Amino acid sequence: LTLPGDKSLSHRAAIFAALAEGHSAISNFSTAADCASTLGCLAALGVPIDRTGSTVRIGGRGFAGLRKPAGPLDAGNSGSTLRMLAGVLAGRPFRATLTGDESLCRRPVERVAEPLRAMGAVCTSTEGRAPLTIEGTRLRPLRYAMPMASAQVKTAVLLAGLQADGRTSLVEPSPSRDHTERLLPAFGVSIAREGATVSVDGPADLRAIDFAVPGDVSSAAFFVVAALVLPHSDVRIDDVLLNPQRTAFLDVLKAMGGDVEWGTTSEQPEPVGWVAARSSRMHGTVVTHEIVPALIDEVPALCVAAACAEGSFSISGASELRVKESDRIAALVEGLGRMGAQAHERPAGLEIDGGPRLRGAAVEAHGDHRIAMALAIAALTADGDTQIAGAECAAVSFPEFFELLGAACRG
Ligand code: S3P
C-alpha cells in the first residue's frame, strides 16, 4: 500500500505555506476531512488555494496577507485546525471566531487560550471550549512551561511567537511530535532546541516551498494491526512517515511479539520509509506514561492488538485520551467489551485481558474516526457480523479506509 499524506504534516504544510511569501505546492496532501477544514479556514482568511488531485497550491502573502474573515472559521472536527490557527490569529490585527462541530465544541481550548493571552491576545472561550474568539494584537514574547505534552499547543505558541518581538520559548513536560520544529526550518525559519526547550525568534518571515507529504503513519497503524491479528496475512506500506515521535506503536507491537519491521529510506525534513507486518501470535505488555505522547493516536489500534493477544495489556498516564474526538478510554472499553473482550477502564488508561476470541456485535463509533477504524479491524477478527454505527466518520482522517481495507482483505 501507499497512503494519502500524513494529517499532522498536511495541516502544518498548509498553514505554513499560507503564512509564507510566494507559491507553495504541497503534493500527496491528506485527503482527511480535517485537512479540508484547515484549507477552508485559510481560504476564509483570504489565502488563495487551488486543489487539483492530490496537490494543493497555496499563494501565501505573509502573515500580513491574512484578512478578517466574513464569519466564524469552521474547524469541523479538527482540534489541530482550531488550536494551531489560534496561534496565527493571536497576532493578526482583527477579531475572528474559531468554532467546529459538536465534538470539537466539547474539547478544551483554554490550553491554547491561556498562553496566547499571556502574549497579549484577547481570547474568549465558551466555558473553556469553542467557539473561541480571538482579538489579535502586537504580541509580547513568552517563556512558557507547558502543563501537558501537546504538539497542537506547542505549534500555536510557536506560530504566535513568530509574530512577537523577541524570543518565545516553550518547555515541554515530555516530548510531543516535533513536526513543527522539523518543517518550519524548511520554510526558512530557525528553531532553537535545548533539552526540553524549543524557541523561535520573532518577527520572522517564511518562504514558500514545494513539499511532498509522506503517507499517514497513524492510518498505516490500522493496516499493520490488521495484518498482525488476522491469520495468513501480510502487508507492506511504502513512503510512510517514520518520525520517531509517531512510531512508538511499532515498538510496542514488536514488544508484544508482533512480526513487524520498518526501515527509513530518506530523512529530510522528516524520516520516511516502509513498514511490513505479518500474522503473529502476540502477548500483552505494559505501556507506561513516558511513551504515551508518541503513540497517543494509535491507542485504539493497539487495543485491538491487545484484545487479540494472550495475557494482560495495560496503558497508564494517558488521560489525554479522555479529551480526544471522543473519550477514547470509555469508547474502546465499551466497543471491545461488547465484542467480548475483557476491557477495563482506569482513570488515566485501560487494561485488557486478551485471549477470548471476539464475537460480532452492534457497536458505536461515537463520532470518532479512530474508534470506527479500530472497531472495523476488531470486527474482521470476530466470529459473526459487526455493525459499527456512525462508521462514516472514518473520513475525518481516512476517507479511503473501508475501500482499501476491503481490497487488502480480498488480496
Ligand atoms: C496532533 C497532536 C496530538 C494528536 C492529534 C494531532 C498534531 O494532539 O492527538 O491527533 O498534529 O499536532 P495534542 O496536541 O492534543 O497532543
Side-chain angles (χ1 to χ4, degrees):
L1 291 170
T2 56
L3 297 172
D6 187 75
K7 182 159 87 72
S8 287
L9 278 179
S10 296
H11 284 302
R12 287 166 172 79
I15 294 171
F16 301 168
L19 301 175
E21 292 281 351
H23 283 86
S24 294
I26 309 163
S27 54
N28 198 37
F29 191 81
S30 169
T31 51
D34 271 5
C35 294
S37 295
T38 289
L39 295 181
C41 291
L42 293 172
L45 288 163
V47 179
I49 296 176
D50 170 71
R51 185 169 193 170
T52 310
S54 63
T55 299
V56 173
R57 291 190 170 74
I58 298 185
R61 287 183 301 230
F63 279 97
L66 300 185
R67 296 283 164 262
K68 180 177 165 59
L73 295 166
D74 184 3
N77 191 244
S78 176
S80 298
T81 306
L82 190 144
R83 298 199 183 109
M84 293 185 206
L85 287 180
V88 173
L89 294 172
R92 295 301 82 221
F94 52 76
R95 182 189 165 115
T97 297
L98 285 157
T99 189
D101 69 9
E102 199 197 322
S103 145
L104 186 56
C105 290
R106 281 197 304 264
R107 298 176 63 190
V109 297
E110 277 301 317
R111 50 181 65 196
V112 283
E114 209 179 279
L116 297 177
R117 267 184 214 120
M119 297 177 83
V122 178
C123 301
T124 314
S125 68
T126 312
E127 290 171 22
R129 325 254 172 239
L132 172 66
T133 297
I134 300 181
E135 286 182 54
T137 187
R138 220 189 145 86
L139 297 171
R140 305 185 277 277
L142 179 71
R143 189 175 167 83
Y144 187 59
M146 288 181 25
M148 80 289 289
S150 165
Q152 295 173 357
V153 175
K154 174 170 64 177
T155 302
V157 175
L158 292 176
L159 287 170
L162 293 179
Q163 304 173 76
D165 294 312
R167 172 161 281 211
T168 292
S169 297
L170 282 167
V171 188
E172 295 194 85
S174 58
S176 65
R177 62 191 68 190
D178 60 355
H179 304 309
T180 298
E181 298 93 302
R182 287 175 184 261
L183 211 51
L184 274 178
F187 281 85
V189 171
S190 352
I191 298 262
R193 181 172 272 283
E194 243 189 87
T197 305
V198 46
S199 311
V200 288
D201 293 313
D205 296 323
L206 285 74
R207 61 159 191 264
I209 62 165
D210 290 346
F211 178 60
V213 186
D216 193 309
V217 62
S218 299
S219 298
F222 296 104
F223 284 87
V224 168
V225 169
L228 291 169
V229 299
L230 293 169
H232 317 297
S233 296
D234 63 87
V235 71
R236 179 184 162 109
I237 304 162
D238 284 312
D239 300 329
V240 67
L241 176 69
L242 289 179
N243 181 311
Q245 293 300 329
R246 300 282 300 282
T247 54
F249 75 98
L250 293 172
D251 299 314
V252 170
L253 290 169
K254 212 175 175 77
M256 292 171 73
D259 182 351
V260 53
E261 295 178 324
W262 59 101
T264 304
T265 50
S266 64
E267 287 281 355
Q268 286 304 326
E270 287 277 357
V272 180
W274 54 272
V275 181
R278 58 170 56 88
S279 316
S280 303
R281 278 182 73 98
M282 292 192 286
H283 50 79
T285 191
V286 176
V287 177
T288 46
H289 68 96
E290 329 73 71
I291 63 160
V292 165
L295 50 68
I296 191 78
D297 292 341
E298 289 66 60
V299 170
L302 283 176
C303 286
V304 176
C308 299
E310 291 291 326
S312 85
F313 172 95
S314 69
I315 297 190
S316 55
S319 54
E320 279 291 306
L321 290 172
R322 298 232 182 245
V323 290
K324 294 293 177 189
E325 287 82 331
S326 68
D327 174 343
R328 286 189 175 156
I329 295 175
L332 285 164
V333 167
E334 179 202 272
L336 293 172
R338 282 196 200 169
M339 298 179 78
Q342 297 297 310
H344 311 283
E345 275 195 47
R346 298 289 172 254
L350 67 167
E351 282 175 26
I352 296 176
D353 294 316
R357 205 179 151 87
L358 297 181
R359 53 172 190 268
V363 292
E364 289 180 32
H366 290 281
D368 185 329
H369 54 124
R370 298 199 201 283
I371 298 298
M373 294 187 280
L375 293 176
I377 304 302
L380 287 176
T381 72
D383 286 327
D385 286 351
T386 295
Q387 293 91 37
I388 307 167
E392 66 281 357
C393 68
V396 160
S397 64
F398 196 2
E400 307 80 356
F401 172 73
F402 285 105
E403 196 185 314
L404 286 177
L405 187 64
C409 289
R410 283 189 294 274

